[in-house]
Amino acid sequence: MENLLKGTGDSKQPMTDEERAELASRLDKDLDNFIDNLQKTPYKDGWKEETWREEMEKHPFFMTKPPEPEDQPSPLVEGLQNLRYDPDDNTPEELATKHKDDGNFNFKCRKYKLAILSYQEGLKLDFQNDELRAQMFNNMSASHYFLKNFRSSLTAAEQALKLKADYEKTILRAINCCVQLKEFDKCSNFCDKYLELVPGDDNVIKIKKEAFKSKKIAEMEKRKAIKIQKQKEADHTKLLLELNKRKLNIVGKSGPIKELTIFDPSVPGLVKPVHLIGDFLVWPVVFLYPEYKTSDMIQEFNETTILYTHLVEIFAERPEWDVEGKYNADSVNVYFESVDEYKSGTKVTKIDPKTCSLFEALTVLRCPIEKGTPVFLVFFAGGQFEKEFLEEVP
């Protein structure tokens, strides 16, 4: 037997290049024949030509970017997830560890929203490893911090510190969150906790001093804001009192005035509504010039001032629209229109601008106020346009 084996071993000679090439050719032909003899059936479950790119992007082996949190996973991805997170094959702690690892991977890729979702899934599980739970809260806090969700970051950091009070980097992040949120008391407390672990840290000592200083400034600004608000409320009450005293003719309003919104001008922001200076009302007032279809706005018209004073200012220089140069404070007549007491027509009242103050026009003559603004009509005295206007009035 030994001689036979020996003889057989001796008879095995290395293949030449020609023999090796012939063998390879023969194997290729055998494979081609095998493939040709296979039963040919159409591939029904393949990707369609018009959607193959989208289908490939959904395949976990070919996708070029990770899915977004709101994306619906493909069946294959969902299947792989089920295999990885199968509760029958993993303990709750093992599953939590996998979620933490996924979160850490997404965090390194700067996919902070995906990282937060992974940590949240892990924290939902029932396991007893406080160290692991603290790590996930800490990492979730870091993810929120990079997204500038400082409130959520602080909340997660506080949860981590309940489980691991000596978490230095978590305390530092909590300090920075408190600075951003202007939570100065919490900031000082976290600084004290950190200095117990790392005594003499110059940066934290500086932050604590700045927090104390900022707290004092914030308290002072709060007191100032409260004082301003109280003053506004007092001014509001006084303004309502003064308006009701005058028993004004407000278009569309009867009875006591309870809200100042009825005096909001038609162009809010550009015109300041009625307000008080001392005990006197100051109004926005409009002068209309019907002949030329133009107007002037007096934004600060004190009720004690006579109309003539503002007309002198308006016509100190000839307006561009007064092509004939006939309008001046002494050559005009002033009127206002109102609905008569029986609401059957329009009533026109003439005012003597040299003697009539705005107070008298609004309270005695009952000039109407619409959208917080009294309106006066100005005509060239004795002019044709004034005559035609008066003829039209019943």
Side-chain angles (χ1 to χ4, degrees):
M1 178 65 71
E2 291 178 359
N3 292 333
L4 179 61
L5 292 173
K6 184 177 179 180
T8 303
D10 293 341
S11 64
K12 188 176 181 180
Q13 300 295 327
M15 295 179 66
T16 63
D17 291 341
E18 291 78 5
E19 292 172 334
R20 189 178 292 106
E22 182 182 355
L23 176 61
S25 176
R26 188 167 66 252
L27 290 174
D28 286 341
K29 289 179 181 179
D30 290 343
L31 180 60
D32 290 340
N33 291 332
F34 174 77
I35 293 173
D36 292 339
N37 291 327
L38 288 175
Q39 184 178 0
K40 297 181 179 179
T41 57
Y43 183 36
K44 299 179 180 180
D45 299 327
W47 293 338
K48 296 180 181 179
E49 183 176 355
E50 59 272 16
T51 61
W52 70 269
R53 292 184 184 275
E54 292 80 0
E55 295 292 341
M56 179 174 285
E57 187 61 36
K58 296 178 182 177
H59 197 289
F61 295 159
F62 304 115
M63 58 177 54
T64 58
K65 59 182 180 179
E68 296 297 330
E70 63 274 9
D71 292 344
Q72 181 69 26
S74 66
L76 184 56
V77 172
E78 193 170 8
L80 291 173
Q81 289 176 337
N82 291 337
L83 286 174
R84 176 172 172 78
Y85 301 112
D86 191 342
D88 296 331
D89 296 333
N90 299 273
T91 65
E93 185 172 328
E94 288 172 340
L95 286 174
T97 301
K98 289 183 178 181
H99 283 298
K100 187 199 79 168
D101 292 340
D102 290 345
N104 292 350
F105 175 79
N106 285 316
F107 183 87
K108 290 177 182 177
C109 295
R110 298 184 180 181
K111 295 286 184 178
Y112 301 120
K113 292 182 180 179
L114 286 174
I116 291 169
L117 291 176
S118 296
Y119 298 134
Q120 287 175 338
E121 289 299 317
L123 289 167
K124 291 177 183 177
L125 298 169
D126 184 15
F127 60 95
Q128 304 303 318
N129 189 335
D130 287 345
E131 177 72 23
L132 176 59
R133 194 174 292 274
Q135 289 175 0
M136 283 195 285
F137 272 122
N138 174 64
N139 295 350
M140 186 164 66
S141 171
S143 300
H144 277 300
Y145 190 85
F146 279 101
L147 291 173
K148 299 188 184 301
N149 299 332
F150 300 117
R151 179 67 62 188
S152 297
S153 179
L154 177 59
T155 300
E158 289 174 330
Q159 292 297 323
L161 292 171
K162 288 179 181 178
L163 300 167
K164 188 177 179 182
D166 59 348
Y167 230 146
E168 293 180 12
K169 59 183 179 181
T170 308
I171 298 174
L172 279 176
R173 191 180 307 108
I175 291 171
N176 290 327
C177 288
C178 289
V179 170
Q180 295 292 337
L181 297 169
K182 301 186 187 306
E183 296 271 1
F184 302 119
D185 287 333
K186 277 189 177 183
C187 182
S188 296
N189 292 335
F190 281 122
C191 287
D192 291 337
K193 289 180 180 179
Y194 188 83
L195 292 172
E196 289 176 4
L197 300 172
V198 188
D201 188 293
D202 293 337
N203 187 45
V204 174
I205 292 172
K206 181 180 178 181
I207 292 174
K208 183 180 178 181
K209 290 180 179 178
E210 289 294 329
F212 179 79
K213 180 180 177 182
S214 298
K215 179 186 175 182
K216 293 298 182 184
I217 294 173
E219 289 174 346
M220 182 179 66
E221 290 178 348
K222 184 178 180 180
R223 290 193 297 269
K224 184 178 178 181
I226 292 173
K227 184 178 179 181
I228 292 173
Q229 182 61 31
K230 287 182 178 179
Q231 185 61 49
K232 284 183 178 180
E233 293 173 359
D235 292 343
H236 180 276
T237 302
K238 184 177 180 181
L239 180 55
L240 282 175
L241 178 64
E242 293 297 331
L243 287 166
N244 281 303
K245 275 184 182 180
R246 286 156 176 76
K247 301 186 183 303
L248 301 166
N249 179 15
I250 302 169
V251 176
K253 173 69 178 175
S254 60
I257 302 166
K258 297 180 179 180
E259 295 293 336
L260 294 177
T261 51
I262 62 173
F263 296 103
D264 289 343
S266 56
V267 188
L270 297 180
V271 179
K272 189 175 181 179
V274 59
H275 54 282
L276 282 168
I277 294 183
D279 294 327
F280 301 108
L281 295 176
V282 177
W283 296 85
V285 172
V286 171
F287 285 121
L288 288 180
Y289 311 103
E291 183 177 359
Y292 291 98
K293 297 180 181 180
T294 188
S295 63
D296 280 312
M297 164 70 77
I298 311 299
Q299 297 201 26
E300 297 278 321
F301 200 129
N302 192 301
E303 65 178 354
T304 61
T305 307
I306 60 174
L307 276 66
Y308 184 79
T309 301
H310 285 288
L311 290 172
V312 169
E313 292 181 6
I314 290 171
F315 297 118
E317 295 183 7
R318 191 180 80 179
E320 292 182 2
W321 50 263
D322 184 14
V323 292
E324 298 179 28
K326 60 186 179 181
Y327 277 75
N328 60 66
D330 296 306
S331 67
V332 296
N333 287 329
V334 181
Y335 302 84
F336 68 80
E337 290 181 305
S338 59
V339 178
D340 65 27
E341 57 182 328
Y342 302 106
K343 298 184 179 180
S344 59
T346 302
K347 176 184 176 183
V348 173
T349 303
K350 186 177 180 180
I351 299 174
D352 182 358
K354 294 184 178 180
T355 60
C356 184
S357 68
L358 181 60
F359 175 85
E360 182 182 351
L362 298 180
T363 58
V364 179
L365 301 179
R366 307 286 292 162
C367 173
I369 301 167
E370 186 172 6
K371 294 184 179 179
T373 307
V375 177
F376 297 99
L377 305 173
V378 181
F379 294 93
F380 174 66
Q384 183 63 30
F385 210 88
E386 181 187 30
K387 292 179 182 178
E388 293 176 359
F389 169 73
L390 294 174
E391 288 173 358
E392 293 176 0
V393 177

